[in-house]
Coordinates of all heavy atoms in Angstrom, one line a residue:
V257 N 5.1 -119.8 139.2 CA 6.4 -119.3 139.4 C 7.0 -118.9 138.1 O 6.8 -119.6 137.1 CB 7.3 -120.5 140.0 CG1 8.8 -120.1 140.0 CG2 6.8 -120.9 141.4
M258 N 7.7 -117.7 138.1 CA 8.3 -117.2 136.8 C 9.7 -117.7 136.8 O 10.5 -117.6 137.8 CB 8.2 -115.7 136.8 CG 8.9 -115.0 135.7 SD 8.2 -115.4 134.1 CE 6.9 -114.2 134.0
Y259 N 10.1 -118.1 135.6 CA 11.5 -118.6 135.4 C 12.3 -117.7 134.5 O 11.7 -116.8 133.9 CB 11.5 -120.0 134.8 CG 11.0 -121.0 135.8 CD1 9.6 -121.2 136.0 CD2 11.8 -121.7 136.7 CE1 9.1 -122.1 136.9 CE2 11.3 -122.6 137.6 CZ 9.9 -122.7 137.8 OH 9.5 -123.6 138.7
G260 N 13.6 -117.9 134.5 CA 14.5 -117.0 133.8 C 14.3 -117.0 132.3 O 14.7 -116.1 131.6
T261 N 13.6 -118.0 131.8 CA 13.3 -118.1 130.4 C 12.1 -117.2 130.0 O 11.8 -117.1 128.8 CB 12.9 -119.5 130.0 OG1 11.9 -119.9 130.8 CG2 14.1 -120.5 130.1
G262 N 11.4 -116.7 131.0 CA 10.2 -115.9 130.7 C 9.0 -116.8 130.8 O 7.9 -116.3 130.6
R263 N 9.1 -118.1 130.9 CA 8.0 -119.0 131.0 C 7.6 -119.1 132.5 O 8.4 -119.1 133.3 CB 8.3 -120.3 130.4 CG 8.3 -120.3 128.9 CD 8.6 -121.7 128.4 NE 7.3 -122.4 128.3 CZ 7.2 -123.7 127.8 NH1 8.3 -124.2 127.3 NH2 6.1 -124.3 127.8
Q264 N 6.3 -119.4 132.7 CA 5.8 -119.6 134.0 C 5.4 -121.1 134.2 O 5.0 -121.7 133.2 CB 4.6 -118.8 134.3 CG 4.9 -117.3 134.3 CD 3.8 -116.5 135.1 OE1 3.6 -116.7 136.2 NE2 3.2 -115.6 134.3
Q265 N 5.6 -121.6 135.4 CA 5.0 -122.9 135.7 C 3.8 -122.7 136.7 O 4.0 -121.9 137.6 CB 6.1 -123.8 136.3 CG 5.7 -125.2 136.3 CD 6.8 -126.2 136.7 OE1 6.8 -127.4 136.4 NE2 7.8 -125.7 137.4
H266 N 2.7 -123.3 136.4 CA 1.5 -123.1 137.1 C 1.1 -124.4 137.9 O 1.6 -125.5 137.7 CB 0.4 -122.8 136.2 CG 0.7 -121.7 135.2 ND1 0.7 -120.4 135.6 CD2 0.9 -121.7 133.9 CE1 1.0 -119.6 134.5 NE2 1.2 -120.4 133.5
G267 N 0.2 -124.2 138.8 CA -0.4 -125.3 139.6 C 0.2 -125.5 141.0 O -0.1 -126.6 141.6
F268 N 0.9 -124.6 141.5 CA 1.5 -124.7 142.8 C 0.5 -124.2 143.9 O -0.4 -123.4 143.6 CB 2.7 -123.8 143.0 CG 3.9 -124.2 142.2 CD1 4.2 -123.6 141.0 CD2 4.8 -125.1 142.8 CE1 5.4 -124.0 140.3 CE2 6.0 -125.5 142.1 CZ 6.3 -124.9 140.9
A269 N 0.6 -124.7 145.1 CA 0.0 -124.0 146.2 C 1.1 -123.2 146.8 O 2.3 -123.6 146.7 CB -0.4 -125.1 147.3
A270 N 0.8 -122.0 147.3 CA 1.9 -121.1 147.7 C 1.5 -120.3 148.9 O 0.4 -120.0 149.2 CB 2.3 -120.2 146.6
D271 N 2.6 -120.0 149.7 CA 2.4 -119.1 150.9 C 3.6 -118.2 150.9 O 4.7 -118.6 150.7 CB 2.4 -120.0 152.1 CG 2.3 -119.2 153.4 OD1 1.3 -118.4 153.5 OD2 3.1 -119.3 154.3
A272 N 3.3 -116.9 151.1 CA 4.4 -115.9 151.1 C 4.2 -114.9 152.2 O 3.1 -114.6 152.7 CB 4.5 -115.2 149.8
V273 N 5.3 -114.4 152.8 CA 5.2 -113.4 153.9 C 6.3 -112.4 153.7 O 7.4 -112.7 153.2 CB 5.3 -114.2 155.2 CG1 6.7 -114.8 155.4 CG2 5.1 -113.2 156.4
R274 N 6.0 -111.2 154.0 CA 7.0 -110.1 154.0 C 7.7 -110.1 155.4 O 7.1 -110.2 156.4 CB 6.3 -108.8 153.7 CG 7.3 -107.6 153.7 CD 6.7 -106.3 153.4 NE 7.6 -105.2 153.6 CZ 7.5 -104.0 153.1 NH1 6.4 -103.7 152.5 NH2 8.4 -103.1 153.4

Side-chain angles (χ1 to χ4, degrees):
V257 173
M258 174 64 85
Y259 293 82
T261 54
R263 286 183 79 177
Q264 296 197 63
Q265 197 172 201
H266 309 287
F268 291 98
D271 179 55
V273 65
R274 177 179 173 165

